[in-house]
Amino acid sequence: MSNLLDQPFEEVLKQYDNMIHYHIHKLHINDPEQEFYQEGCITLWEAYQTYDPSRGTFRQLANYKIHHRFIDLIRKHSKAAENEKNYVDQHATLEDNSTYDYPEDCYFWNGIQKELTEKQWKWMRYYIIEDLSYSEIAMKENTTVDAVKNWGREAKKKLKWLVVIE
């Protein structure tokens, strides 16, 4: 057995602490929560446990393992950030399709709502604003598709003044 394995791990950690910090700085890692440092300590522990002197020096093994563990962790974080970005983008576009929630449109939508009956407003809200199909509206309002179509026809008649003719 090597002299290294005769030392307690705490001593090995003190000796190789700078190596962990070196890789954090070399890879330009911002580590405010000390996640990478902790991962480096765990990796050093794993290297300490599996060290075989016949395969090279402990310094080489620790250097290799820490560097590659950090690369793996960076990839994991990048993939997670990409997935989060895709999720946010996907949901942002879904929310962008609904103009009903925008405060600057309140005056406009309130004006339209005053011109329509309750059922015509339901058609406007579900069909135009929320982009639901006639059958989805009919199911939601517990009525027929033809009734929903009629609400739409009547609402369109009342709102012809909104159409700008060029």
PDB file of all heavy atoms in Angstrom, residues 83-116:
ATOM      1  N   ASN A  83     -33.311  22.801 -21.168  1.00  0.00           N
ATOM      2  CA  ASN A  83     -34.663  22.263 -20.993  1.00  0.00           C
ATOM      3  C   ASN A  83     -35.574  23.288 -20.328  1.00  0.00           C
ATOM      4  O   ASN A  83     -36.731  23.448 -20.715  1.00  0.00           O
ATOM      5  CB  ASN A  83     -34.634  20.987 -20.160  1.00  0.00           C
ATOM      6  CG  ASN A  83     -34.055  19.817 -20.917  1.00  0.00           C
ATOM      7  OD1 ASN A  83     -33.968  19.836 -22.143  1.00  0.00           O
ATOM      8  ND2 ASN A  83     -33.616  18.802 -20.203  1.00  0.00           N
ATOM      9  N   GLU A  84     -35.039  24.001 -19.342  1.00  0.00           N
ATOM     10  CA  GLU A  84     -35.824  25.033 -18.669  1.00  0.00           C
ATOM     11  C   GLU A  84     -36.179  26.165 -19.627  1.00  0.00           C
ATOM     12  O   GLU A  84     -37.307  26.648 -19.645  1.00  0.00           O
ATOM     13  CB  GLU A  84     -35.043  25.586 -17.480  1.00  0.00           C
ATOM     14  CG  GLU A  84     -35.799  26.591 -16.660  1.00  0.00           C
ATOM     15  CD  GLU A  84     -35.009  27.068 -15.458  1.00  0.00           C
ATOM     16  OE1 GLU A  84     -34.283  26.256 -14.857  1.00  0.00           O
ATOM     17  OE2 GLU A  84     -35.139  28.252 -15.128  1.00  0.00           O
ATOM     18  N   LYS A  85     -35.217  26.573 -20.453  1.00  0.00           N
ATOM     19  CA  LYS A  85     -35.447  27.631 -21.428  1.00  0.00           C
ATOM     20  C   LYS A  85     -36.516  27.203 -22.431  1.00  0.00           C
ATOM     21  O   LYS A  85     -37.426  27.972 -22.756  1.00  0.00           O
ATOM     22  CB  LYS A  85     -34.167  27.989 -22.168  1.00  0.00           C
ATOM     23  CG  LYS A  85     -34.336  29.110 -23.179  1.00  0.00           C
ATOM     24  CD  LYS A  85     -33.057  29.307 -23.984  1.00  0.00           C
ATOM     25  CE  LYS A  85     -33.195  30.360 -25.035  1.00  0.00           C
ATOM     26  NZ  LYS A  85     -34.252  30.133 -25.997  1.00  0.00           N
ATOM     27  N   ASN A  86     -36.418  25.963 -22.915  1.00  0.00           N
ATOM     28  CA  ASN A  86     -37.423  25.457 -23.856  1.00  0.00           C
ATOM     29  C   ASN A  86     -38.802  25.432 -23.213  1.00  0.00           C
ATOM     30  O   ASN A  86     -39.800  25.784 -23.854  1.00  0.00           O
ATOM     31  CB  ASN A  86     -37.051  24.053 -24.343  1.00  0.00           C
ATOM     32  CG  ASN A  86     -35.852  24.071 -25.251  1.00  0.00           C
ATOM     33  OD1 ASN A  86     -35.501  25.097 -25.821  1.00  0.00           O
ATOM     34  ND2 ASN A  86     -35.190  22.938 -25.380  1.00  0.00           N
ATOM     35  N   TYR A  87     -38.872  25.033 -21.964  1.00  0.00           N
ATOM     36  CA  TYR A  87     -40.147  24.994 -21.247  1.00  0.00           C
ATOM     37  C   TYR A  87     -40.730  26.403 -21.123  1.00  0.00           C
ATOM     38  O   TYR A  87     -41.907  26.630 -21.396  1.00  0.00           O
ATOM     39  CB  TYR A  87     -39.943  24.372 -19.865  1.00  0.00           C
ATOM     40  CG  TYR A  87     -41.193  24.330 -19.033  1.00  0.00           C
ATOM     41  CD1 TYR A  87     -42.123  23.312 -19.195  1.00  0.00           C
ATOM     42  CD2 TYR A  87     -41.458  25.307 -18.074  1.00  0.00           C
ATOM     43  CE1 TYR A  87     -43.280  23.268 -18.441  1.00  0.00           C
ATOM     44  CE2 TYR A  87     -42.607  25.275 -17.322  1.00  0.00           C
ATOM     45  CZ  TYR A  87     -43.507  24.243 -17.500  1.00  0.00           C
ATOM     46  OH  TYR A  87     -44.650  24.219 -16.756  1.00  0.00           O
ATOM     47  N   VAL A  88     -39.883  27.345 -20.717  1.00  0.00           N
ATOM     48  CA  VAL A  88     -40.339  28.730 -20.547  1.00  0.00           C
ATOM     49  C   VAL A  88     -40.773  29.309 -21.889  1.00  0.00           C
ATOM     50  O   VAL A  88     -41.818  29.957 -21.982  1.00  0.00           O
ATOM     51  CB  VAL A  88     -39.229  29.594 -19.906  1.00  0.00           C
ATOM     52  CG1 VAL A  88     -39.555  31.070 -19.992  1.00  0.00           C
ATOM     53  CG2 VAL A  88     -39.025  29.178 -18.454  1.00  0.00           C
ATOM     54  N   ASP A  89     -39.981  29.076 -22.942  1.00  0.00           N
ATOM     55  CA  ASP A  89     -40.341  29.576 -24.269  1.00  0.00           C
ATOM     56  C   ASP A  89     -41.670  28.998 -24.738  1.00  0.00           C
ATOM     57  O   ASP A  89     -42.506  29.711 -25.291  1.00  0.00           O
ATOM     58  CB  ASP A  89     -39.253  29.251 -25.296  1.00  0.00           C
ATOM     59  CG  ASP A  89     -37.998  30.070 -25.098  1.00  0.00           C
ATOM     60  OD1 ASP A  89     -38.039  31.057 -24.330  1.00  0.00           O
ATOM     61  OD2 ASP A  89     -36.963  29.715 -25.693  1.00  0.00           O
ATOM     62  N   GLN A  90     -41.848  27.707 -24.531  1.00  0.00           N
ATOM     63  CA  GLN A  90     -43.080  27.043 -24.956  1.00  0.00           C
ATOM     64  C   GLN A  90     -44.286  27.631 -24.234  1.00  0.00           C
ATOM     65  O   GLN A  90     -45.303  27.919 -24.842  1.00  0.00           O
ATOM     66  CB  GLN A  90     -42.988  25.551 -24.684  1.00  0.00           C
ATOM     67  CG  GLN A  90     -44.207  24.771 -25.114  1.00  0.00           C
ATOM     68  CD  GLN A  90     -44.078  23.300 -24.784  1.00  0.00           C
ATOM     69  OE1 GLN A  90     -43.248  22.890 -23.986  1.00  0.00           O
ATOM     70  NE2 GLN A  90     -44.910  22.491 -25.402  1.00  0.00           N
ATOM     71  N   HIS A  91     -44.167  27.837 -22.928  1.00  0.00           N
ATOM     72  CA  HIS A  91     -45.287  28.361 -22.171  1.00  0.00           C
ATOM     73  C   HIS A  91     -45.481  29.854 -22.386  1.00  0.00           C
ATOM     74  O   HIS A  91     -46.590  30.343 -22.281  1.00  0.00           O
ATOM     75  CB  HIS A  91     -45.141  28.022 -20.691  1.00  0.00           C
ATOM     76  CG  HIS A  91     -45.445  26.593 -20.424  1.00  0.00           C
ATOM     77  ND1 HIS A  91     -44.569  25.581 -20.741  1.00  0.00           N
ATOM     78  CD2 HIS A  91     -46.544  25.986 -19.920  1.00  0.00           C
ATOM     79  CE1 HIS A  91     -45.107  24.424 -20.424  1.00  0.00           C
ATOM     80  NE2 HIS A  91     -46.303  24.643 -19.935  1.00  0.00           N
ATOM     81  N   ALA A  92     -44.418  30.555 -22.691  1.00  0.00           N
ATOM     82  CA  ALA A  92     -44.534  31.992 -22.964  1.00  0.00           C
ATOM     83  C   ALA A  92     -45.324  32.211 -24.250  1.00  0.00           C
ATOM     84  O   ALA A  92     -46.149  33.115 -24.321  1.00  0.00           O
ATOM     85  CB  ALA A  92     -43.163  32.634 -23.069  1.00  0.00           C
ATOM     86  N   THR A  93     -45.093  31.373 -25.259  1.00  0.00           N
ATOM     87  CA  THR A  93     -45.829  31.537 -26.510  1.00  0.00           C
ATOM     88  C   THR A  93     -47.298  31.193 -26.316  1.00  0.00           C
ATOM     89  O   THR A  93     -48.153  31.799 -26.933  1.00  0.00           O
ATOM     90  CB  THR A  93     -45.240  30.670 -27.645  1.00  0.00           C
ATOM     91  OG1 THR A  93     -45.225  29.306 -27.228  1.00  0.00           O
ATOM     92  CG2 THR A  93     -43.852  31.124 -28.013  1.00  0.00           C
ATOM     93  N   LEU A  94     -47.591  30.239 -25.454  1.00  0.00           N
ATOM     94  CA  LEU A  94     -48.989  29.912 -25.180  1.00  0.00           C
ATOM     95  C   LEU A  94     -49.673  31.086 -24.500  1.00  0.00           C
ATOM     96  O   LEU A  94     -50.819  31.416 -24.802  1.00  0.00           O
ATOM     97  CB  LEU A  94     -49.084  28.676 -24.282  1.00  0.00           C
ATOM     98  CG  LEU A  94     -48.684  27.352 -24.905  1.00  0.00           C
ATOM     99  CD1 LEU A  94     -48.734  26.246 -23.852  1.00  0.00           C
ATOM    100  CD2 LEU A  94     -49.571  27.006 -26.081  1.00  0.00           C
ATOM    101  N   GLU A  95     -48.971  31.745 -23.577  1.00  0.00           N
ATOM    102  CA  GLU A  95     -49.560  32.884 -22.883  1.00  0.00           C
ATOM    103  C   GLU A  95     -49.665  34.090 -23.798  1.00  0.00           C
ATOM    104  O   GLU A  95     -50.569  34.896 -23.666  1.00  0.00           O
ATOM    105  CB  GLU A  95     -48.727  33.232 -21.652  1.00  0.00           C
ATOM    106  CG  GLU A  95     -48.843  32.182 -20.569  1.00  0.00           C
ATOM    107  CD  GLU A  95     -47.888  32.424 -19.423  1.00  0.00           C
ATOM    108  OE1 GLU A  95     -47.195  33.456 -19.426  1.00  0.00           O
ATOM    109  OE2 GLU A  95     -47.831  31.575 -18.529  1.00  0.00           O
ATOM    110  N   ASP A  96     -48.730  34.237 -24.745  1.00  0.00           N
ATOM    111  CA  ASP A  96     -48.755  35.366 -25.662  1.00  0.00           C
ATOM    112  C   ASP A  96     -49.961  35.317 -26.592  1.00  0.00           C
ATOM    113  O   ASP A  96     -50.374  36.341 -27.112  1.00  0.00           O
ATOM    114  CB  ASP A  96     -47.474  35.424 -26.510  1.00  0.00           C
ATOM    115  CG  ASP A  96     -46.279  35.858 -25.671  1.00  0.00           C
ATOM    116  OD1 ASP A  96     -46.492  36.368 -24.558  1.00  0.00           O
ATOM    117  OD2 ASP A  96     -45.144  35.684 -26.142  1.00  0.00           O
ATOM    118  N   ASN A  97     -50.519  34.123 -26.813  1.00  0.00           N
ATOM    119  CA  ASN A  97     -51.658  33.994 -27.709  1.00  0.00           C
ATOM    120  C   ASN A  97     -52.942  34.563 -27.098  1.00  0.00           C
ATOM    121  O   ASN A  97     -53.892  34.814 -27.793  1.00  0.00           O
ATOM    122  CB  ASN A  97     -51.887  32.527 -28.077  1.00  0.00           C
ATOM    123  CG  ASN A  97     -50.824  32.039 -29.009  1.00  0.00           C
ATOM    124  OD1 ASN A  97     -50.179  32.814 -29.698  1.00  0.00           O
ATOM    125  ND2 ASN A  97     -50.606  30.731 -29.036  1.00  0.00           N
ATOM    126  N   SER A  98     -52.957  34.750 -25.804  1.00  0.00           N
ATOM    127  CA  SER A  98     -54.149  35.271 -25.147  1.00  0.00           C
ATOM    128  C   SER A  98     -53.949  36.740 -24.806  1.00  0.00           C
ATOM    129  O   SER A  98     -53.187  37.077 -23.934  1.00  0.00           O
ATOM    130  CB  SER A  98     -54.425  34.478 -23.865  1.00  0.00           C
ATOM    131  OG  SER A  98     -55.472  35.074 -23.166  1.00  0.00           O
ATOM    132  N   THR A  99     -54.670  37.603 -25.524  1.00  0.00           N
ATOM    133  CA  THR A  99     -54.545  39.040 -25.260  1.00  0.00           C
ATOM    134  C   THR A  99     -55.504  39.473 -24.172  1.00  0.00           C
ATOM    135  O   THR A  99     -55.476  40.622 -23.767  1.00  0.00           O
ATOM    136  CB  THR A  99     -54.829  39.852 -26.535  1.00  0.00           C
ATOM    137  OG1 THR A  99     -56.137  39.521 -26.985  1.00  0.00           O
ATOM    138  CG2 THR A  99     -53.812  39.571 -27.611  1.00  0.00           C
ATOM    139  N   TYR A 100     -56.326  38.574 -23.701  1.00  0.00           N
ATOM    140  CA  TYR A 100     -57.317  38.909 -22.696  1.00  0.00           C
ATOM    141  C   TYR A 100     -56.684  39.344 -21.374  1.00  0.00           C
ATOM    142  O   TYR A 100     -57.236  40.153 -20.659  1.00  0.00           O
ATOM    143  CB  TYR A 100     -58.223  37.698 -22.467  1.00  0.00           C
ATOM    144  CG  TYR A 100     -59.382  37.973 -21.559  1.00  0.00           C
ATOM    145  CD1 TYR A 100     -60.383  38.856 -21.938  1.00  0.00           C
ATOM    146  CD2 TYR A 100     -59.480  37.363 -20.322  1.00  0.00           C
ATOM    147  CE1 TYR A 100     -61.457  39.113 -21.107  1.00  0.00           C
ATOM    148  CE2 TYR A 100     -60.548  37.616 -19.487  1.00  0.00           C
ATOM    149  CZ  TYR A 100     -61.533  38.488 -19.893  1.00  0.00           C
ATOM    150  OH  TYR A 100     -62.599  38.747 -19.075  1.00  0.00           O
ATOM    151  N   ASP A 101     -55.517  38.821 -21.076  1.00  0.00           N
ATOM    152  CA  ASP A 101     -54.872  39.098 -19.801  1.00  0.00           C
ATOM    153  C   ASP A 101     -54.103  40.408 -19.773  1.00  0.00           C
ATOM    154  O   ASP A 101     -53.678  40.839 -18.723  1.00  0.00           O
ATOM    155  CB  ASP A 101     -53.903  37.963 -19.443  1.00  0.00           C
ATOM    156  CG  ASP A 101     -54.651  36.665 -19.202  1.00  0.00           C
ATOM    157  OD1 ASP A 101     -55.813  36.736 -18.803  1.00  0.00           O
ATOM    158  OD2 ASP A 101     -54.059  35.605 -19.415  1.00  0.00           O
ATOM    159  N   TYR A 102     -53.883  41.032 -20.914  1.00  0.00           N
ATOM    160  CA  TYR A 102     -53.077  42.241 -20.924  1.00  0.00           C
ATOM    161  C   TYR A 102     -53.876  43.424 -20.414  1.00  0.00           C
ATOM    162  O   TYR A 102     -54.952  43.721 -20.903  1.00  0.00           O
ATOM    163  CB  TYR A 102     -52.562  42.538 -22.338  1.00  0.00           C
ATOM    164  CG  TYR A 102     -51.548  41.550 -22.803  1.00  0.00           C
ATOM    165  CD1 TYR A 102     -51.764  40.801 -23.948  1.00  0.00           C
ATOM    166  CD2 TYR A 102     -50.376  41.353 -22.103  1.00  0.00           C
ATOM    167  CE1 TYR A 102     -50.835  39.891 -24.389  1.00  0.00           C
ATOM    168  CE2 TYR A 102     -49.444  40.428 -22.537  1.00  0.00           C
ATOM    169  CZ  TYR A 102     -49.675  39.698 -23.685  1.00  0.00           C
ATOM    170  OH  TYR A 102     -48.754  38.792 -24.108  1.00  0.00           O
ATOM    171  N   PRO A 103     -53.335  44.145 -19.427  1.00  0.00           N
ATOM    172  CA  PRO A 103     -54.069  45.270 -18.845  1.00  0.00           C
ATOM    173  C   PRO A 103     -54.360  46.381 -19.846  1.00  0.00           C
ATOM    174  O   PRO A 103     -55.390  47.014 -19.773  1.00  0.00           O
ATOM    175  CB  PRO A 103     -53.156  45.785 -17.741  1.00  0.00           C
ATOM    176  CG  PRO A 103     -52.027  44.846 -17.634  1.00  0.00           C
ATOM    177  CD  PRO A 103     -52.098  43.890 -18.767  1.00  0.00           C
ATOM    178  N   GLU A 104     -53.459  46.600 -20.810  1.00  0.00           N
ATOM    179  CA  GLU A 104     -53.682  47.689 -21.752  1.00  0.00           C
ATOM    180  C   GLU A 104     -54.877  47.412 -22.669  1.00  0.00           C
ATOM    181  O   GLU A 104     -55.394  48.324 -23.298  1.00  0.00           O
ATOM    182  CB  GLU A 104     -52.426  47.985 -22.582  1.00  0.00           C
ATOM    183  CG  GLU A 104     -51.953  46.846 -23.451  1.00  0.00           C
ATOM    184  CD  GLU A 104     -50.922  45.961 -22.784  1.00  0.00           C
ATOM    185  OE1 GLU A 104     -50.747  46.029 -21.573  1.00  0.00           O
ATOM    186  OE2 GLU A 104     -50.287  45.183 -23.494  1.00  0.00           O
ATOM    187  N   ASP A 105     -55.319  46.173 -22.756  1.00  0.00           N
ATOM    188  CA  ASP A 105     -56.465  45.842 -23.589  1.00  0.00           C
ATOM    189  C   ASP A 105     -57.779  45.874 -22.808  1.00  0.00           C
ATOM    190  O   ASP A 105     -58.841  45.648 -23.387  1.00  0.00           O
ATOM    191  CB  ASP A 105     -56.295  44.453 -24.199  1.00  0.00           C
ATOM    192  CG  ASP A 105     -55.213  44.423 -25.263  1.00  0.00           C
ATOM    193  OD1 ASP A 105     -54.914  45.480 -25.845  1.00  0.00           O
ATOM    194  OD2 ASP A 105     -54.691  43.343 -25.504  1.00  0.00           O
ATOM    195  N   CYS A 106     -57.748  46.119 -21.529  1.00  0.00           N
ATOM    196  CA  CYS A 106     -58.970  46.104 -20.712  1.00  0.00           C
ATOM    197  C   CYS A 106     -60.018  47.073 -21.241  1.00  0.00           C
ATOM    198  O   CYS A 106     -61.193  46.727 -21.318  1.00  0.00           O
ATOM    199  CB  CYS A 106     -58.647  46.433 -19.257  1.00  0.00           C
ATOM    200  SG  CYS A 106     -57.878  45.070 -18.383  1.00  0.00           S
ATOM    201  N   TYR A 107     -59.616  48.263 -21.593  1.00  0.00           N
ATOM    202  CA  TYR A 107     -60.558  49.268 -22.088  1.00  0.00           C
ATOM    203  C   TYR A 107     -61.239  48.773 -23.367  1.00  0.00           C
ATOM    204  O   TYR A 107     -62.451  48.857 -23.519  1.00  0.00           O
ATOM    205  CB  TYR A 107     -59.830  50.593 -22.344  1.00  0.00           C
ATOM    206  CG  TYR A 107     -60.735  51.684 -22.837  1.00  0.00           C
ATOM    207  CD1 TYR A 107     -61.607  52.328 -21.968  1.00  0.00           C
ATOM    208  CD2 TYR A 107     -60.741  52.058 -24.173  1.00  0.00           C
ATOM    209  CE1 TYR A 107     -62.461  53.324 -22.417  1.00  0.00           C
ATOM    210  CE2 TYR A 107     -61.579  53.044 -24.638  1.00  0.00           C
ATOM    211  CZ  TYR A 107     -62.441  53.676 -23.757  1.00  0.00           C
ATOM    212  OH  TYR A 107     -63.277  54.649 -24.215  1.00  0.00           O
ATOM    213  N   PHE A 108     -60.423  48.221 -24.258  1.00  0.00           N
ATOM    214  CA  PHE A 108     -60.942  47.692 -25.523  1.00  0.00           C
ATOM    215  C   PHE A 108     -61.940  46.561 -25.275  1.00  0.00           C
ATOM    216  O   PHE A 108     -63.060  46.584 -25.782  1.00  0.00           O
ATOM    217  CB  PHE A 108     -59.772  47.207 -26.382  1.00  0.00           C
ATOM    218  CG  PHE A 108     -60.189  46.511 -27.642  1.00  0.00           C
ATOM    219  CD1 PHE A 108     -60.667  47.242 -28.732  1.00  0.00           C
ATOM    220  CD2 PHE A 108     -60.108  45.130 -27.759  1.00  0.00           C
ATOM    221  CE1 PHE A 108     -61.046  46.606 -29.894  1.00  0.00           C
ATOM    222  CE2 PHE A 108     -60.492  44.496 -28.932  1.00  0.00           C
ATOM    223  CZ  PHE A 108     -60.964  45.238 -29.997  1.00  0.00           C
ATOM    224  N   TRP A 109     -61.538  45.566 -24.472  1.00  0.00           N
ATOM    225  CA  TRP A 109     -62.396  44.402 -24.240  1.00  0.00           C
ATOM    226  C   TRP A 109     -63.635  44.771 -23.439  1.00  0.00           C
ATOM    227  O   TRP A 109     -64.711  44.218 -23.665  1.00  0.00           O
ATOM    228  CB  TRP A 109     -61.619  43.278 -23.555  1.00  0.00           C
ATOM    229  CG  TRP A 109     -60.616  42.639 -24.468  1.00  0.00           C
ATOM    230  CD1 TRP A 109     -59.278  42.606 -24.302  1.00  0.00           C
ATOM    231  CD2 TRP A 109     -60.868  41.968 -25.709  1.00  0.00           C
ATOM    232  NE1 TRP A 109     -58.685  41.959 -25.353  1.00  0.00           N
ATOM    233  CE2 TRP A 109     -59.636  41.552 -26.234  1.00  0.00           C
ATOM    234  CE3 TRP A 109     -62.019  41.686 -26.435  1.00  0.00           C
ATOM    235  CZ2 TRP A 109     -59.518  40.871 -27.442  1.00  0.00           C
ATOM    236  CZ3 TRP A 109     -61.904  40.991 -27.641  1.00  0.00           C
ATOM    237  CH2 TRP A 109     -60.665  40.599 -28.123  1.00  0.00           C
ATOM    238  N   ASN A 110     -63.506  45.691 -22.514  1.00  0.00           N
ATOM    239  CA  ASN A 110     -64.690  46.133 -21.754  1.00  0.00           C
ATOM    240  C   ASN A 110     -65.696  46.826 -22.662  1.00  0.00           C
ATOM    241  O   ASN A 110     -66.910  46.659 -22.506  1.00  0.00           O
ATOM    242  CB  ASN A 110     -64.290  47.056 -20.603  1.00  0.00           C
ATOM    243  CG  ASN A 110     -63.646  46.299 -19.463  1.00  0.00           C
ATOM    244  OD1 ASN A 110     -63.832  45.103 -19.325  1.00  0.00           O
ATOM    245  ND2 ASN A 110     -62.867  47.011 -18.661  1.00  0.00           N
ATOM    246  N   GLY A 111     -65.190  47.602 -23.622  1.00  0.00           N
ATOM    247  CA  GLY A 111     -66.067  48.258 -24.590  1.00  0.00           C
ATOM    248  C   GLY A 111     -66.811  47.252 -25.437  1.00  0.00           C
ATOM    249  O   GLY A 111     -68.018  47.397 -25.703  1.00  0.00           O
ATOM    250  N   ILE A 112     -66.134  46.238 -25.872  1.00  0.00           N
ATOM    251  CA  ILE A 112     -66.781  45.191 -26.678  1.00  0.00           C
ATOM    252  C   ILE A 112     -67.803  44.436 -25.830  1.00  0.00           C
ATOM    253  O   ILE A 112     -68.917  44.162 -26.276  1.00  0.00           O
ATOM    254  CB  ILE A 112     -65.738  44.229 -27.266  1.00  0.00           C
ATOM    255  CG1 ILE A 112     -64.948  44.948 -28.359  1.00  0.00           C
ATOM    256  CG2 ILE A 112     -66.386  42.960 -27.807  1.00  0.00           C
ATOM    257  CD1 ILE A 112     -63.858  44.134 -28.993  1.00  0.00           C
ATOM    258  N   GLN A 113     -67.423  44.107 -24.598  1.00  0.00           N
ATOM    259  CA  GLN A 113     -68.327  43.340 -23.736  1.00  0.00           C
ATOM    260  C   GLN A 113     -69.638  44.089 -23.497  1.00  0.00           C
ATOM    261  O   GLN A 113     -70.702  43.481 -23.435  1.00  0.00           O
ATOM    262  CB  GLN A 113     -67.631  43.024 -22.403  1.00  0.00           C
ATOM    263  CG  GLN A 113     -68.423  42.076 -21.527  1.00  0.00           C
ATOM    264  CD  GLN A 113     -67.659  41.652 -20.288  1.00  0.00           C
ATOM    265  OE1 GLN A 113     -66.581  42.164 -20.002  1.00  0.00           O
ATOM    266  NE2 GLN A 113     -68.222  40.735 -19.546  1.00  0.00           N
ATOM    267  N   LYS A 114     -69.570  45.422 -23.414  1.00  0.00           N
ATOM    268  CA  LYS A 114     -70.786  46.221 -23.199  1.00  0.00           C
ATOM    269  C   LYS A 114     -71.736  46.144 -24.384  1.00  0.00           C
ATOM    270  O   LYS A 114     -72.940  46.280 -24.236  1.00  0.00           O
ATOM    271  CB  LYS A 114     -70.417  47.679 -22.934  1.00  0.00           C
ATOM    272  CG  LYS A 114     -69.807  47.904 -21.579  1.00  0.00           C
ATOM    273  CD  LYS A 114     -69.395  49.346 -21.398  1.00  0.00           C
ATOM    274  CE  LYS A 114     -68.653  49.535 -20.089  1.00  0.00           C
ATOM    275  NZ  LYS A 114     -68.108  50.886 -19.964  1.00  0.00           N
ATOM    276  N   GLU A 115     -71.195  45.920 -25.578  1.00  0.00           N
ATOM    277  CA  GLU A 115     -72.009  45.861 -26.795  1.00  0.00           C
ATOM    278  C   GLU A 115     -72.689  44.504 -26.980  1.00  0.00           C
ATOM    279  O   GLU A 115     -73.643  44.392 -27.740  1.00  0.00           O
ATOM    280  CB  GLU A 115     -71.136  46.127 -28.029  1.00  0.00           C
ATOM    281  CG  GLU A 115     -70.511  47.497 -28.071  1.00  0.00           C
ATOM    282  CD  GLU A 115     -71.554  48.582 -28.256  1.00  0.00           C
ATOM    283  OE1 GLU A 115     -72.523  48.369 -29.018  1.00  0.00           O
ATOM    284  OE2 GLU A 115     -71.406  49.651 -27.632  1.00  0.00           O
ATOM    285  N   LEU A 116     -72.199  43.465 -26.314  1.00  0.00           N
ATOM    286  CA  LEU A 116     -72.672  42.098 -26.558  1.00  0.00           C
ATOM    287  C   LEU A 116     -73.539  41.575 -25.426  1.00  0.00           C
ATOM    288  O   LEU A 116     -73.431  42.019 -24.284  1.00  0.00           O
ATOM    289  CB  LEU A 116     -71.467  41.167 -26.732  1.00  0.00           C
ATOM    290  CG  LEU A 116     -70.485  41.506 -27.848  1.00  0.00           C
ATOM    291  CD1 LEU A 116     -69.297  40.562 -27.805  1.00  0.00           C
ATOM    292  CD2 LEU A 116     -71.161  41.461 -29.204  1.00  0.00           C
TER     293      LEU A 116
END
